[in-house]
């Protein structure tokens, strides 16, 4: 796929060029589970998260997705990332997201007003130990699905911070096609992060605009929870001698060259398993079986 404006190649199969300038491996790492298994679960041991991060980078991960609200108790993903990886490699891209506000139970069910977004971005800069954030998503909505509200005022705040040099690239998360278009009318949108669904319209618009499509919960959100889908994954996994998680990740990457996968874990064993999916190749029969 080529950027229709610049003519630069955006995807080579295994990599994608965010904003036409930040080349990342399409199989990255999501940091949500580093601090705790769930938002309201007990905190993990920090040394485990640090070990997972260092091993992820050793195995070729150069795209880490995080957020300032990923944490529990005294353990926070951004601080683990800084402790494990700073000073950062030049090719490492760290994406974060702002907007959600955790409630008393730790679940990010509230939304920040426009006047609070600068403070959230500055907090991410401090916790990660950076002068500029590579990619910042405006995460819209609480725990609800996308759509139904304007995002212009909030996205304009982030666009202003980009102009100031605090942010390199902008993204949107949990949006529908109308909100994506609303954001793009204000500033370039480098990536969209939505729960993995069959929203082919939004994916097609990402492909056409050169934006990455980055599903969150890449191993959940209907794949593992759908018994028919799980049966199909198991059939293909048995044929290939792989795990169902590896087939799910490989199938996600096969959806489109614009798709980036960010499976997360707090376990070294699961990390190794997930990243091994990069070597898995699905044939026509495999893809046909997965579609049912």
């Amino acid at each position: 796929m080529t950027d229709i404006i610049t003519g630069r190649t955006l995807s080579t199969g295994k990599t994608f060029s965010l904003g036409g300038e930040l080349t990342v491996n399409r199989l990255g790492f999501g940091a949500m589970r580093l601090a705790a298994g769930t938002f309201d679960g007990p905190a993990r041991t920090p040394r485990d998260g640090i070990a997972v991060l260092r091993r992820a980078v050793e195995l070729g991960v150069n795209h880490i997705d995080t957020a300032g609200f990923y944490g529990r108790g005294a353990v926070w993903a951004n601080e683990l990332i800084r402790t494990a990886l700073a000073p950062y490699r030049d090719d490492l891209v760290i994406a974060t997201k702002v907007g959600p506000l955790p409630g008393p139970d730790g679940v990010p069910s509230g939304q920040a007003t426009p006047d609070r977004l600068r403070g959230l971005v500055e907090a991410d800069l401090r916790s990660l130990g950076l002068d500029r954030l590579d990619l910042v998503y405006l995460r819209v909505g609480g725990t609800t699905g996308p759509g139904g509200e304007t995002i212009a005022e909030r996205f304009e705040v982030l666009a202003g911070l980009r102009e100031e040099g605090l942010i390199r690239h902008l993204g949107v998360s949990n949006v529908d096609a109308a909100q994506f278009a609303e954001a793009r009318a204000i500033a370039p949108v480098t990536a969209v992060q939505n729960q993995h669904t069959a929203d082919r319209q939004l994916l097609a618009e990402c492909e056409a605009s050169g934006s990455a499509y980055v599903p969150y919960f890449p191993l959940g959100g209907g794949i593992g929870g759908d018994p028919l889908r799980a049966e199909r994954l198991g059939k293909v996994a048995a044929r290939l001698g792989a795990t169902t998680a590896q087939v799910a990740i490989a199938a996600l990457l096969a959806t489109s060259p614009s798709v980036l996968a960010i499976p997360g874990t707090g376990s070294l064993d699961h990390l190794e398993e997930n990243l091994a999916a990069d070597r898995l190749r699905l044939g026509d029969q495999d893809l046909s079986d997965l579609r049912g």
Side-chain angles (χ1 to χ4, degrees):
M1 184 179 65
T2 301
D3 188 324
I4 59 176
I5 297 175
T6 66
R8 287 175 289 190
T9 299
L10 295 177
S11 178
T12 64
K14 283 199 170 187
T15 66
F16 186 92
S17 184
L18 289 166
E21 62 168 355
L22 298 177
T23 300
V24 297
N25 294 325
R26 291 178 59 216
L27 181 50
F29 179 79
M32 189 188 79
R33 297 187 184 277
L34 284 176
T38 60
F39 282 118
D40 57 353
R44 297 186 189 272
T45 303
R47 67 172 177 272
D48 293 340
I50 291 170
V52 165
L53 285 162
R54 289 175 174 165
R55 183 59 177 153
V57 172
E58 287 175 359
L59 292 173
V61 167
N62 65 349
H63 170 213
I64 295 176
D65 182 87
T66 186
F69 51 88
Y70 287 173
R72 192 69 176 169
V75 185
W76 294 86
N78 284 1
E79 295 175 3
L80 293 175
I81 291 169
R82 187 187 71 239
T83 299
L85 303 177
Y88 301 110
R89 286 179 6 183
D90 290 341
D91 67 338
L92 181 64
V93 173
I94 299 177
T96 186
K97 60 194 72 67
V98 295
L101 297 176
D105 58 356
V107 177
S109 54
Q111 290 196 78
T113 54
D115 61 297
R116 295 193 62 178
L117 292 176
R118 173 183 284 273
L120 294 174
V121 168
E122 291 175 344
D124 279 348
L125 287 166
R126 290 192 299 271
S127 60
L128 289 166
L130 292 167
D131 296 322
R132 180 174 64 167
L133 298 170
D134 293 321
L135 172 60
V136 177
Y137 294 92
L138 174 65
R139 173 58 158 83
V140 183
T143 55
T144 60
E149 60 182 305
T150 179
I151 66 172
E153 187 177 3
R154 283 168 288 171
F155 197 73
E156 284 171 352
V157 173
L158 296 187
L161 296 177
R162 175 175 172 268
E163 291 296 320
E164 290 182 32
L166 299 182
I167 299 172
R168 192 167 184 172
H169 293 288
L170 298 173
V172 287
S173 176
N174 198 41
V175 297
D176 59 16
Q179 292 167 322
F180 180 41
E182 187 179 25
R184 289 179 61 207
I186 297 167
V189 176
T190 296
V192 173
Q193 187 174 126
N194 275 21
Q195 188 167 0
H196 181 44
T197 67
D199 190 345
R200 298 296 305 184
Q201 177 189 355
L202 188 56
L203 175 57
E205 292 186 16
C206 286
E207 291 172 337
S209 66
S211 303
Y213 188 84
V214 191
Y216 64 85
F217 295 153
L219 296 180
I223 295 180
D226 179 346
L228 293 177
R229 181 69 166 170
E231 181 180 342
R232 295 169 192 162
L233 287 169
K235 177 181 178 180
V236 174
R239 178 192 302 141
L240 298 177
T243 67
T244 55
Q246 289 169 340
V247 173
I249 293 169
L252 185 64
L253 293 172
T255 303
S256 165
S258 295
V259 170
L260 309 183
I262 49 169
T265 180
S267 159
L268 280 171
D269 288 342
H270 287 163
L271 174 73
E272 302 260 0
E273 175 187 340
N274 290 344
L275 295 183
D278 191 48
R279 300 191 296 271
L280 196 62
R281 293 293 173 266
L282 302 179
D284 292 341
Q285 184 61 54
D286 302 320
L287 294 171
S288 176
D289 287 345
L290 289 171
R291 296 188 199 102

